[in-house]
Amino acid sequence: MRNSLKNVYLIPYCLWILLFVVAPIVLIVYYSLFDIEGNFTFANYANFFTPVYMKMTLSSFWYAFLITLFSLLIAYPAAYLLTKTKHKRLWLMLIILPSWINLLLKAYAFLGIFGTYGAANALLEVLGIGSQQILFTDFSFVFVSVYIFIPFMILPVFNALEEMNAGLIDAARDLGASGWTTFRRVVVPLTMNGVKAGCQAVFIPALSLFMITRLIAGNRVITLGTAIEQHFLVTQDWGMGATIAVFLIIAMAAIMVLTGGRKRGTQA
Amino acid sequence: MKQLVQIFAAVIIFALGLQYLVVYLNAEQGYSGDNTLTVYNWGDYIEPELIEEFEEETGIKVIYQTFDSNEAMLTKIQQGGTTYDIAVPSEYAISKMKEEELLLPIDHSLVPNLKYINPRFLDLSFDRGNEYSIPYFWGTVGIIYNASLLPEGMEFDSWDDLWDDRLDNQILLVDGAREVMGFALNSLGYSLNDTNEEHLQEAKRKLNELTPNVKAIVGDEIKMLLAGEEAGAGVVWSGDAAEIMGENDNLDYVIPKEGSNLWFDNMVIPKTARNIEGAHKFINFMLEPENAARNAEYVGYSTPNQAALELLPEEISEDERFYPDVELTERLEVYRNLGKRMLAHYNELFLEFKMHRK
């Protein structure tokens, strides 16, 4: 009786997985095997390994890597400081608040801020540096992406820091470890899982960013996400779009396995 | 458990309430019947007084709804559930709608005013014999530039002027493969519908040389960016150019002498139409020379209506930026439907150009 009831509870879960995880992936793989006229072919896969798409893949990974790196560099100290503050939940909420605002609106706001006559350039003028081209550069692209992804990095790191037993730090200090050693050998290993979760939450979506590449980078940065969007919406070459998506899925799975494999960071 | 059931019940009741509200609101504004006509048009793309006059003249109540992209319009009509009697898509969207059988044929005997349309704008490749569509406005692709931001004495009359060294990092391009490849082909003296592989590669190589001058390749934001003097020059549709020039007087528009694209927004009757007779009346009403002239004056785009053009003040009808002379008009071309494979190839080349770094 109990067992069968348990199985009933499993139905929604299984249905969900089947409909929204398995079926879409199967469909994507299926579409990737057809060319633009609907003939069965492996040509899309061959096409993916041409210099154009290889270059695009490399640049996608490079930018995703930069975005993740800067997010982590900012988020880790920020999360660390947050755990020390008095009203930490409030401060945390203030950091997460911007993610309630539509992404498109935020991107448009940056068009104004980074524009030739925008606030950022006005500040540079006042500082005597003189106005620069900020919009449509690699810098603006990485900056805005980091801004957008930071909440996803801070949250897991913050939670990991919160869960950590503060007594361990006292113990380390009592046993003669310096501040730096305590951080390196106690805090970092214990929060490694949070860092990994954060990196996954940033790196994976950053790989397939598209709209920001047009709005903020003026299509000077082309990622795999841009190419997918174009193939599905403009050229209607669903086969090629799906093929790129298949490679993204493989890349993401690989990243999950690589970063999530070990239970706890024992190196360091 | 009881609490869980209560929460479930509350969620379901709330959802049903919302659903009811949606149905109610739809019925409130989207209904269509014998005595109403639902017009689905681009935003700010009609003289509002004309709608009132049409209502007075025919006794039909007009429900006016707007869209902001052909794709959005297409999706809404494809999905069904809408009751648009008139829509105003661009020519490539018309070919697509024709292919998907989303359009009803137009009975020319009910649209006698069709005779006022300049024959140059009739019977074009996207709709032979104007079986499904009637021209509403037309335009071109050209260069918009801001003399106050550019070096003294810079003038534009040819696509090649975009390659000028002095334009370093000053050009904004629309994010359209046909537009960008098109002007590159035009600048080389080829047709913008060219499918010769050598010509296409030559055009792409030429585009790569343009890279240092290109500041960004953007979508609709191009209007905002150019009006905000973010860049000195841009390649845009004449309709957008008219809008930008309305906002910023420093800008001017030119159709390069090598030729360019000629685009159309045409009136069609979607399959979803309920008031087909009213739709014909509306089309005929809009083609009335006096009405078409007032509409053109309000909207600022180029009218295909020859009789209306003669009614327009000379400063509009003689404006060569929007009504180019015969010689130049001869060199304007409508995008031919090149087929999916060729379109994909155009996009592939455009993508390669985008990836070409300075």
Side-chain angles (χ1 to χ4, degrees):
Chain A
M1 176 65 200
R2 193 170 254 180
N3 235 338
S4 66
L5 202 64
K6 220 187 206 164
N7 289 340
V8 171
Y9 290 150
L10 267 177
I11 289 174
Y13 174 79
C14 289
L15 267 181
W16 182 271
I17 295 289
L18 209 65
L19 276 175
F20 299 116
V21 180
V22 178
I25 292 179
V26 170
L27 269 179
I28 286 175
V29 174
Y30 174 80
Y31 275 120
S32 72
L33 295 174
F34 291 89
D35 70 5
I36 198 162
E37 272 136 17
N39 306 315
F40 181 84
T41 174
F42 287 106
N44 291 328
Y45 286 89
N47 199 12
F48 187 82
F49 288 101
T50 53
V52 178
Y53 287 101
M54 283 292 105
K55 218 172 110 190
M56 206 187 297
T57 311
L58 284 180
S59 94
S60 296
F61 271 87
W62 170 242
Y63 285 108
F65 169 75
L66 280 183
I67 292 164
T68 315
L69 180 71
F70 284 112
S71 301
L72 184 64
L73 282 179
I74 297 166
Y76 201 98
Y80 192 77
L81 277 179
L82 275 179
T83 56
K84 305 277 176 232
T85 53
K86 213 171 164 196
H87 306 285
K88 43 189 159 190
R89 287 286 154 193
L90 176 74
W91 292 116
L92 185 67
M93 201 188 76
L94 286 181
I95 288 182
I96 294 165
L97 202 71
S99 62
W100 298 355
I101 298 167
N102 185 294
L103 183 75
L104 201 61
L105 278 181
K106 287 189 282 190
Y108 265 94
F110 273 106
L111 276 183
I113 294 171
F114 283 160
T116 315
Y117 308 101
N121 267 322
L123 184 71
L124 288 179
E125 287 285 355
V126 171
L127 294 177
I129 299 169
S131 81
Q132 305 279 325
Q133 189 194 342
I134 307 176
L135 204 57
F136 309 131
T137 58
D138 286 0
F139 165 78
S140 62
F141 175 65
V142 173
F143 185 94
V144 174
S145 308
V146 167
Y147 162 76
I148 283 162
F149 283 124
I150 258 197
F152 302 104
M153 185 65 98
I154 284 194
L155 266 180
V157 175
F158 176 83
N159 284 334
L161 283 165
E162 276 280 274
E163 277 170 21
M164 196 178 60
N165 186 349
L168 292 173
I169 295 172
D170 294 336
R173 299 306 298 268
D174 280 350
L175 293 170
S178 68
W180 172 243
T181 312
T182 312
F183 177 74
R184 206 166 57 92
R185 308 205 50 162
V186 179
V187 180
V188 170
L190 284 177
T191 53
M192 211 51 194
N193 275 336
V195 171
K196 280 179 182 169
C199 286
Q200 285 174 1
V202 173
F203 191 84
I204 291 174
L207 258 187
S208 52
L209 267 180
F210 63 100
M211 208 195 51
I212 300 173
T213 57
R214 192 190 84 197
L215 280 173
I216 300 297
N219 272 322
R220 309 317 313 254
V221 173
I222 299 291
T223 62
L224 292 172
T226 329
I228 294 179
E229 187 211 11
Q230 195 184 36
H231 281 306
F232 273 89
L233 290 181
V234 186
T235 45
Q236 306 209 314
D237 187 355
W238 287 29
M240 196 59 220
T243 306
I244 303 172
V246 167
F247 277 98
L248 269 180
I249 292 172
I250 293 171
M252 288 168 185
I255 292 161
M256 292 288 256
V257 170
L258 282 177
T259 57
R262 274 158 293 166
K263 271 267 177 217
R264 199 149 273 200
T266 44
Q267 80 285 44
Chain B
M1 188 63 194
K2 204 176 145 201
Q3 234 179 348
L4 202 65
V5 171
Q6 276 173 348
I7 291 174
F8 263 118
V11 168
I12 287 171
I13 289 170
F14 187 65
L16 285 177
L18 283 178
Q19 180 62 29
Y20 172 75
L21 207 67
V22 168
V23 172
Y24 174 78
L25 285 176
N26 273 344
E28 191 78 332
Q29 49 164 248
Y31 67 95
S32 199
D34 280 349
N35 226 14
T36 60
L37 184 79
T38 313
V39 176
Y40 198 35
N41 198 352
W42 299 81
D44 205 22
Y45 206 33
I46 194 167
E47 156 76 285
E49 279 177 25
L50 288 175
I51 296 180
E52 281 169 36
E53 281 166 35
F54 176 74
E55 288 182 334
E56 268 170 41
E57 201 180 299
T58 57
I60 296 173
K61 189 183 172 326
V62 174
I63 298 159
Y64 190 75
Q65 295 190 20
T66 59
F67 58 86
D68 55 11
S69 77
N70 281 302
E71 285 68 27
M73 183 262 331
L74 251 169
T75 319
K76 269 214 149 172
I77 289 176
Q78 269 167 346
Q79 278 175 348
T82 52
T83 54
Y84 303 120
D85 298 305
I86 295 270
V88 189
S90 308
E91 81 283 325
Y92 73 92
I94 293 172
S95 352
K96 232 184 231 172
M97 292 173 90
K98 254 172 53 181
E99 261 168 46
E100 295 177 27
E101 301 189 338
L102 292 171
L103 298 178
L104 294 175
I106 290 171
D107 184 347
H108 287 204
S109 68
L110 294 175
V111 192
N113 286 340
L114 191 59
K115 62 173 184 269
Y116 295 120
I117 300 283
N118 187 331
R120 195 152 62 80
F121 301 122
L122 294 174
D123 192 29
L124 293 166
S125 59
F126 58 89
D127 185 20
R128 285 285 170 216
N130 286 77
E131 209 179 326
Y132 296 98
S133 73
I134 304 290
Y136 186 64
F137 281 115
W138 63 276
T140 54
V141 172
I143 302 171
I144 186 166
Y145 62 97
N146 189 332
S148 68
L149 292 181
L150 297 174
E152 201 75 26
M154 269 231 77
E155 275 186 20
F156 292 89
D157 72 331
S158 154
W159 286 117
D160 281 326
D161 292 332
L162 290 175
W163 274 264
D164 194 312
D165 288 338
R166 290 174 292 173
L167 278 174
D168 183 41
N169 206 21
Q170 281 287 0
I171 301 174
L172 295 178
L173 300 177
V174 281
D175 189 7
R178 287 301 300 265
E179 283 70 29
V180 174
M181 284 299 289
F183 81 68
L185 285 165
N186 274 154
S187 78
L188 290 163
Y190 303 131
S191 154
L192 47 72
N193 291 314
D194 208 323
T195 54
N196 180 320
E197 181 59 25
E198 256 171 58
H199 295 174
L200 290 175
Q201 290 297 342
E202 202 182 332
K204 208 217 102 195
R205 278 196 301 274
K206 187 161 181 186
L207 279 177
N208 282 348
E209 285 163 26
L210 183 66
T211 313
N213 285 359
V214 177
K215 184 166 193 177
I217 302 163
V218 289
D220 256 345
E221 312 83 64
I222 199 165
K223 289 188 268 184
M224 182 175 86
L225 294 168
L226 283 166
E229 311 209 320
E230 196 67 52
V235 174
V236 294
W237 290 283
S238 61
D240 285 351
E243 209 179 314
I244 302 165
M245 282 151 62
E247 277 175 50
N248 189 329
D249 289 335
N250 291 335
L251 289 144
D252 205 356
Y253 177 77
V254 65
I255 306 168
K257 62 179 183 211
E258 294 93 343
S260 172
N261 165 236
L262 178 67
W263 55 260
F264 287 91
D265 286 335
N266 283 18
M267 292 182 275
V268 300
I269 305 178
K271 226 179 183 147
T272 53
R274 296 240 183 105
N275 190 351
I276 294 164
E277 197 197 327
H280 282 95
K281 276 187 191 162
F282 184 82
I283 293 175
N284 199 44
F285 178 85
M286 293 310 293
L287 293 185
E288 198 71 55
E290 205 174 302
N291 297 340
R294 279 168 59 200
N295 202 21
E297 213 170 332
Y298 176 87
V299 176
Y301 283 43
S302 314
T303 178
N305 194 314
Q306 190 57 40
L309 189 61
E310 281 154 21
L311 292 175
L312 281 172
E314 266 182 21
E315 60 180 73
I316 296 179
S317 60
E318 307 267 289
D319 190 340
E320 299 228 329
R321 298 174 301 184
F322 297 104
Y323 296 100
D325 60 31
V326 183
E327 196 195 335
L328 182 54
T329 316
E330 291 290 306
R331 264 170 282 154
L332 298 177
E333 282 177 278
V334 182
Y335 289 135
R336 215 154 28 81
N337 189 353
L338 298 177
K340 270 189 174 179
R341 195 168 276 276
M342 205 61 209
L343 184 66
H345 188 50
Y346 265 70
N347 273 286
E348 196 81 18
L349 293 171
F350 184 49
L351 195 63
E352 282 176 39
F353 157 61
K354 282 185 189 171
M355 285 172 59
H356 190 84
R357 303 296 299 236
K358 293 179 199 193

